[in-house]
Amino acid sequence: MTTAPTLSRPAQTSPPPGRSRLAILASVRLTVLLLALIAAVVLIGAWCPQEAQVGQQKVIDMFGPDVALELSRWGVTDIFHTPLFLLLIGFLTVNMVACSVQRVFPRARLLKQPMPLLSEREISRLTVNSELALPGAPHTGIARLAQGLKRCGYQVRVETDALTAEWGKLGRLAGTVTHIGLLTLLAGVTVSSWTGFSGFQAVPLHGKLTFGQSEHSKLWIGRLPDWSVRVDATRREDYESGDPKQWYSDLSVVDSQGRVLKRQEISVNNPLSYGGVDIYQSSWGLDQLVVSFNEHVRHLDLRQMGKVYAAFLPLDEETMFIFSVHDQVKPLRLFAKRPDWGAPRLLAEIPPGKSIKLGSVNLTYREVVPVTGLQYKSDPGFPAVIAAFVFIIAGAMLAAVPHRQVWAHARIANKDDALTGTAGTSGENACILAVGGRSAKAGRAFEKSLSSLLAKLSGDGQTLAGETI
Amino acid sequence: MSELQLAMTNTAGISSVMSFWVFVGSNAFRRPRELMLKLGLVVMVVGFLALTVAIGARGVDAGRFPLANLYESLLWFAWAVMGGFLIMQRLYPILHLGWLASLAAATMFLYGSWLPASQHEISPLVPALVSYWRQIHVPPLICSYAMFFLAGLSGLMQLWEAGRVRSLAWSLGSLMLGCTAIALGTFTSVDTFVLQAMFVGGSIAGLTGALLNLKQVMRTRVNAERAELYDEVAYRAIMIGFPLLTIGIITGGLWANHAWGTYWSWDPKESMALVTWLSYAAYIHLRIHRECSAEKLSLVTVAGMLLTLLTYLGFNSLGFGGLHSYGRFK
Ligand code: HEM
C-alpha cells in the first residue's frame, strides 16, 4: 500500500463541447505563445534605442545611417507603436478575457465549496498518504490530528470519524485576482490614451506654462484646461562639491482673469496637482544673463558649460568677454580672452546687483534669469491603473501560497492490521488513522511538513509496518 | 569605508568562498558528509549575518539607504542569494545545492571587488535618486533576481538528476558565454556588438542545443526522486521571485510617475524587466498547462536565469543606456 508520492499532473479538463472555436482563443497554449512573442518584441525594443524616447539621432549614432534607415523601415526603432505589437496585445487581451471567463473566474466559486469527505480507500489513492495506528477510539485519533493540523494553520472540518483540512485556500484565487488586475490595467491605459494629455515646457522665471502645445493628438474626448501656471521663483540647491542636489520652483495656478487659484513649491519627486493635471519639476537651468553697460541693459543668452553657465560677448575682432555664472547668488565672473593669451584672464568678480568700472564703462550685474523645465500630464485612467497595480501585486503574492488539502479517516483497529504490539495500540483500544492529501504547487514540501506532523502524533503510537509517507 | 563595514564585508566574502569549499567537500567525501553539510550551512549563516551587518554599516556610514550603485546592489544580491537559499533549505532537503548558492554569492563578491574604486566609495546621489521610493523599488528587484538565480540553479540540478547530461552541458555553455560577455563588457573595451552577439547568440544556441538533446538520457545518472525535488524547488523559488519582481516593476512605475509624471516610458531597463516578468508568467502558465515535462520546465528556468542576468548586469555592461544608468561606470 506504500505510495511513493509522485507529483501527478493530470491533464487539463477539456472545455465543454460546442465551444471548440472559443477554445483556441481561450487556450493556455496560446497564452504561452503570446507571452513569449511579446517578450521577444519587448526585448528587441529594449535593445534598439527607440525614436519615441531618445530621438532619431541616437539610433543613427549607434548603427550608422544605412542600418538605422533599414531598422526604421521595419519598425524596429518604434516597435511599441507597430501594428505587430498592438496586434499581439490585442490577442493577449482577447485570450485573457476568454480564458478568464471560461476557466479562471469560475475558480472563485470553488472557495465556497466544502471539501468532500473521502473514504479510507480514496485516501490511499492520494499522492501523499499514510496510515498510522493510534491508541484510543477513532474520534480521539481524529481530534488529535485536527488539533495538530490547526496548530499548523489548517482550517479543519471534523465529522465524527473523519476530517478534511485546508491550508492556503486563498492561493486558489491567484489567477482570478491577477487577471482582473491585468484587464483593469488595459482598461486604465486605454482610458488614459483616449482622454489624457502631457507635455514639457521650459519656462523662464516669471513666465507662464500653458497647455496649448501639449501632445494631445490622442485626445479623443475632453478638452485642455484654460488656466495656466506662473513661475514665481525657481532655484537650485547644490552639494558642497557643486553638483546639483535639488531643484525647486514656486508655482501659482492662475485663471484666465489672472486670479491665483493655488500656490505651491515643487521639486523633483514633489509635484503640484491641480484640476486633474500634475506638474513635475523635471530639469533646471540658467537662461539669460542681464547686465547693463552705463545703464544700457543687455540680455545675454547663457550656455551650460559643465557646472557653470557662460555667455560670450565679442568686444572687437580680437577680444572676447566671457561671463560665467554658477547660480543666482554667487558672483558673476568676468573673463577676457585674446588669441595671444594662453587662457582667458579673470577680470573681475561681481556680486549680483553690484557694478564695476571698466575704463569709462560702468558694468552692472543686474540678474540672471533661471529657466525651469516643467513636465505636465493629465491621466484620467490613472485610478484604474493604480487599482490594477494593487490587484496584480495581490494576485502574484497569492500565487506564491501553495494550496494544501488533507483528508483523514479513522476506524477501530482489527486483527488484520499488522500492529507490532506497542503498548496501547493493540486490540480494541487502538484506531487506524488513514491520512492523505495533496498540494499541486508544493507536493514535496507538503509531504515533509505532513510527515513531521504525523511523526509527532504517533510519538506514542506508530505507523503501520512498511508505511512511509 | 569604516573598519566595521570593511571587516564584515570581508568576512562575508570569505565565508561565501569557504562555504563553497565545504559544500564541495561534502560531495566529495562520503563519510563525514552530513557533518560537512551542516558545517557548510553554519559558515553560510555566518556569512549572511556578516553581510547583513556590513550592509547596515554602509547605510549608517553613508547616511542613506545603501543601495545606490552597482557595487552596493551586488552586495544585496549576494545577501539575497544566501538568504533565499537559507529559506529554501528549511522547506526542502537541498543542502547539497549549497555549493552552487555559495558559488553564485562568491562570484558576485568577486565581481563587486573588481569594480573600480569609485564604486566602492560612498558617493552622493543625483537628484533623481533622492527619494524614499528608491528603497521600496530596488530591494524587491534584487531579491527577485536572486530567487530566479536559485530557480535556475535548481533547474540545472534537475537536468543533472534526470540524467540529461548533454542538455546540462549545453545550458552551462550558454551561461558561461553570457557571464564571459558580461565580464568582458565590464572590464574591457571589447566592441559592444560583439558582446551582444556573444550573449544573445550563446543563449539561443545553448538553449536550442539543450532542447534538442533533451531526449538523451544517461540512465545510470537518473535519480527520479531528486529530480522531482529540484523541479519543485525551482518552481517555489520562482513563485517567491515572481511577486517580488511584480512589486519591483510596479513600484518603479509609481516612482517614475511621482518623479517624471509617467509610469512607463519604455526605458531599456524597464523593458528588460518586463521581458523577464513575461517570461516567468509564461513559465507559470506552462506549469498550469501541465503538458510540459519537468526537464523542459528546467530549460525555461535556465532561459529565465539568462534573462535575469541580462536584465540585472547585462544591459549596462553590454552597452545600453537609459534612465537606469547607475550600473554604468566606464
Ligand atoms: C493573456 C492571456 C492569459 C490567459 C489566457 C491566462 C490564463 C490563466 C489560467 C487558465 C490560469 C489558471 C487559473 C487557475 O488555475 O486558477 C492562470 C493563472 C495565473 N495567471 Fe494567467 N493568463 C493570461 C495572462 C496572464 C498574464 C499576462 C499574467 C501576468 C503575469 C498572468 C498571471 C497569472 C497568475 C499569477 C496566475 C496564478 C498562477 C497560480 O495560481 O499559480 N496571466 N492564467
Side-chain angles (χ1 to χ4, degrees):
Chain A
M1 232 177 7
T2 304
T3 327
T6 48
L7 210 88
S8 77
R9 303 220 177 96
Q12 188 87 52
T13 47
S14 50
R19 291 212 193 156
S20 58
R21 207 164 304 150
L22 235 181
I24 296 175
L25 277 184
S27 78
V28 179
R29 221 181 265 199
L30 179 64
T31 311
V32 171
L33 181 69
L34 287 171
L35 288 175
L37 286 177
I38 293 177
V41 171
V42 177
L43 182 60
I44 293 171
W47 164 74
C48 178
Q50 296 293 296
E51 279 176 23
Q53 272 73 47
V54 294
Q56 206 170 19
Q57 192 54 44
K58 178 103 194 244
V59 187
I60 295 173
D61 289 350
M62 190 158 158
F63 298 105
D66 297 337
V67 180
L69 189 71
E70 204 58 30
L71 288 175
S72 167
R73 200 162 55 213
W74 287 93
V76 176
T77 56
D78 194 14
I79 205 158
F80 302 115
H81 296 112
T82 51
L84 171 71
F85 186 67
L86 299 181
L87 199 71
L88 286 175
I89 297 287
F91 264 122
L92 190 77
T93 313
V94 172
N95 179 217
M96 196 158 37
V97 170
C99 186
S100 295
V101 170
Q102 211 178 71
R103 297 228 288 273
V104 183
F105 293 169
R107 280 281 174 130
R109 278 206 304 267
L110 288 180
L111 275 193
K112 285 212 206 89
Q113 267 176 16
M115 284 164 61
L117 290 173
L118 297 187
S119 69
E120 191 174 342
R121 271 189 75 132
E122 287 167 317
I123 289 175
S124 74
R125 284 202 289 263
L126 289 168
T127 43
V128 177
N129 72 76
S130 169
E131 235 174 48
L132 72 164
L134 290 177
H139 69 267
T140 33
I142 286 288
R144 284 180 55 201
L145 177 62
Q147 209 176 24
L149 286 168
K150 273 186 193 149
R151 229 177 283 131
C152 295
Y154 282 81
Q155 265 184 9
V156 187
R157 186 168 63 100
V158 178
E159 303 259 323
T160 52
D161 290 349
L163 69 70
T164 62
E166 233 176 334
W167 190 94
K169 196 172 170 177
L170 278 180
R172 306 185 87 178
L173 277 183
T176 308
V177 174
T178 313
H179 295 164
I180 291 180
L182 288 165
L183 292 172
T184 315
L185 181 70
L186 287 168
V189 170
T190 308
V191 168
S192 289
S193 65
W194 284 3
T195 66
F197 59 89
S198 66
F200 171 84
Q201 195 180 329
V203 189
L205 181 64
H206 306 306
K208 267 187 188 168
L209 166 71
T210 53
F211 301 98
Q213 300 299 313
S214 66
E215 297 159 25
H216 63 289
S217 55
K218 285 178 283 178
L219 196 74
W220 290 17
I221 310 163
R223 61 192 190 91
L224 295 173
D226 53 4
W227 44 268
S228 57
V229 178
R230 192 177 63 214
V231 179
D232 295 328
T234 182
R235 68 199 159 83
R236 174 173 98 178
E237 200 175 283
D238 288 344
Y239 287 109
E240 270 170 28
S241 62
D243 293 310
K245 182 177 180 189
Q246 187 54 284
W247 303 313
Y248 299 92
S249 298
D250 289 338
L251 304 181
S252 297
V253 177
V254 274
D255 67 8
S256 48
Q257 274 90 47
R259 275 187 306 243
V260 174
L261 305 172
K262 180 172 181 176
R263 273 181 210 278
Q264 190 185 322
E265 180 187 72
I266 65 167
S267 53
V268 178
N269 286 329
N270 174 26
L272 173 149
S273 301
Y274 182 81
V277 184
D278 294 323
I279 294 158
Y280 300 84
Q281 180 78 59
S282 80
S283 60
W284 196 91
L286 296 178
D287 190 33
Q288 284 196 323
L289 175 67
V290 186
V291 289
S292 59
F293 299 91
N294 290 341
E295 303 312 313
H296 221 76
V297 179
R298 285 215 41 182
H299 290 253
L300 303 173
D301 285 337
L302 285 167
R303 258 193 278 164
Q304 182 159 18
M305 318 278 287
K307 286 181 187 175
V308 298
Y309 293 80
F312 301 87
L313 184 70
L315 276 191
D316 52 45
E317 300 252 306
E318 304 265 274
T319 322
M320 166 98 85
F321 268 174
I322 304 173
F323 300 89
S324 149
V325 281
H326 182 263
D327 56 26
Q328 293 130 290
V329 282
K330 293 213 179 78
L332 164 74
R333 289 154 68 94
L334 172 64
F335 297 86
K337 188 173 184 322
R338 288 178 65 92
D340 46 334
W341 298 348
R345 284 191 191 158
L346 180 65
L347 298 184
E349 293 204 9
I350 321 170
K354 294 284 187 299
S355 311
I356 56 157
K357 271 261 183 247
L358 285 176
S360 61
V361 179
N362 204 16
L363 172 65
T364 310
Y365 172 23
R366 293 186 166 241
E367 63 170 338
V368 59
V369 181
V371 58
T372 179
L374 299 179
Q375 184 89 37
Y376 57 86
K377 71 125 204 262
S378 156
D379 192 353
F382 194 58
V385 171
I386 292 288
F389 284 172
V390 173
F391 271 96
I392 294 171
I393 290 181
M397 285 168 79
L398 282 179
V401 178
H403 180 224
R404 295 170 175 170
Q405 290 172 303
V406 176
W407 286 267
H409 182 275
R411 63 173 167 79
I412 297 169
N414 58 36
K415 282 200 288 295
D416 299 335
D417 298 314
L419 293 178
T420 45
T422 311
T425 54
S426 58
E428 306 224 329
N429 271 336
C431 70
I432 300 296
L433 194 60
V435 185
R438 63 175 172 219
S439 171
K441 284 189 193 167
R444 286 310 186 94
F446 168 65
E447 184 189 325
K448 188 170 168 232
S449 71
L450 191 64
S451 69
S452 77
L453 173 69
L454 295 187
K456 251 186 244 154
L457 206 64
S458 62
D460 48 356
Q462 69 190 108
T463 40
L464 284 184
E467 207 65 29
T468 50
I469 313 192
Chain B
M1 259 200 229
S2 73
E3 299 269 319
L4 175 70
Q5 189 197 326
L6 199 64
M8 286 296 146
T9 314
N10 289 342
T11 310
I14 293 167
S15 305
S16 66
V17 176
M18 258 172 66
S19 64
F20 169 72
W21 285 113
V22 177
F23 279 127
V24 167
S26 76
N27 284 330
F29 302 110
R30 232 151 238 288
R31 266 294 191 67
R33 174 171 295 170
E34 286 305 311
L35 192 70
M36 286 184 81
L37 283 176
K38 289 233 165 68
L39 183 65
L41 184 65
V42 170
V43 177
M44 192 185 246
V45 170
V46 170
F48 178 73
L49 293 177
L51 192 49
T52 311
V53 176
I55 292 174
R58 194 173 171 93
V60 173
D61 289 353
R64 60 163 167 76
F65 193 71
L67 184 42
N69 64 14
L70 182 59
Y71 173 70
E72 288 171 5
S73 96
L74 287 169
L75 291 185
W76 275 81
F77 185 89
W79 179 84
V81 166
M82 292 190 201
F85 178 74
L86 292 176
I87 293 174
M88 293 307 275
Q89 65 84 30
R90 283 189 68 87
L91 294 174
Y92 297 96
I94 49 162
L95 274 186
H96 34 271
L97 196 70
W99 67 278
L100 275 175
S102 305
L103 182 64
T107 310
M108 291 302 164
F109 269 117
L110 217 58
Y111 183 70
S113 65
W114 280 340
L115 292 177
S118 65
Q119 282 278 313
H120 298 209
E121 283 159 14
I122 293 170
S123 51
L125 293 171
V126 297
L129 288 182
V130 186
S131 167
Y132 58 88
W133 279 105
R134 192 166 48 91
Q135 52 248 40
I136 305 173
H137 166 54
V138 194
L141 286 175
I142 306 281
C143 293
S144 78
Y145 297 157
M147 292 317 288
F148 293 148
F149 246 72
L150 288 176
L153 296 178
S154 298
L156 293 173
M157 289 302 287
Q158 197 277 340
L159 289 174
W160 173 247
E161 300 291 0
R164 304 307 201 273
V165 181
R166 284 209 191 162
S167 290
L168 179 64
W170 279 95
S171 308
L172 285 176
S174 65
L175 274 174
M176 295 290 182
L177 268 181
C179 291
T180 310
I182 288 176
L184 288 176
T186 311
F187 301 112
T188 70
S189 51
V190 178
D191 185 64
T192 48
F193 285 122
V194 174
L195 296 177
Q196 287 168 9
M198 189 166 165
F199 193 106
V200 177
S203 299
I204 293 175
L207 289 172
T208 312
L211 189 65
L212 292 178
N213 279 291
L214 214 48
K215 292 234 167 63
Q216 309 273 338
V217 186
M218 197 193 264
R219 304 245 168 247
T220 49
R221 268 253 25 98
V222 178
N223 182 337
E225 199 162 316
R226 275 210 186 165
E228 203 179 277
L229 172 71
Y230 285 124
D231 175 54
E232 186 173 318
V233 170
Y235 182 38
R236 285 301 286 283
I238 285 174
M239 292 317 271
I240 297 174
F242 187 73
L244 288 171
L245 181 61
T246 310
I247 292 173
I249 292 177
I250 288 182
T251 52
L254 292 174
W255 180 8
N257 184 64
H258 195 70
W260 294 289
T262 166
Y263 46 84
W264 196 262
S265 50
W266 295 114
D267 168 77
K269 191 107 178 174
E270 257 170 30
S271 304
M272 229 16 248
L274 180 66
V275 173
T276 312
W277 191 70
L278 290 170
S279 318
Y280 283 106
Y283 174 90
I284 292 173
H285 289 88
L286 272 176
R287 216 149 176 136
I288 289 167
H289 197 44
R290 291 169 175 165
E291 272 182 15
C292 216
S293 69
E295 289 72 34
K296 271 194 198 141
L297 286 170
S298 292
L299 287 187
V300 180
T301 66
V302 176
M305 181 150 77
L306 283 164
L307 280 173
T308 306
L309 205 59
L310 189 58
T311 310
Y312 178 40
L313 297 175
F315 249 59
N316 293 314
S317 56
L318 302 183
F320 293 80
L323 289 170
H324 295 80
S325 53
Y326 78 69
R328 284 188 92 108
F329 46 83
K330 274 199 291 199

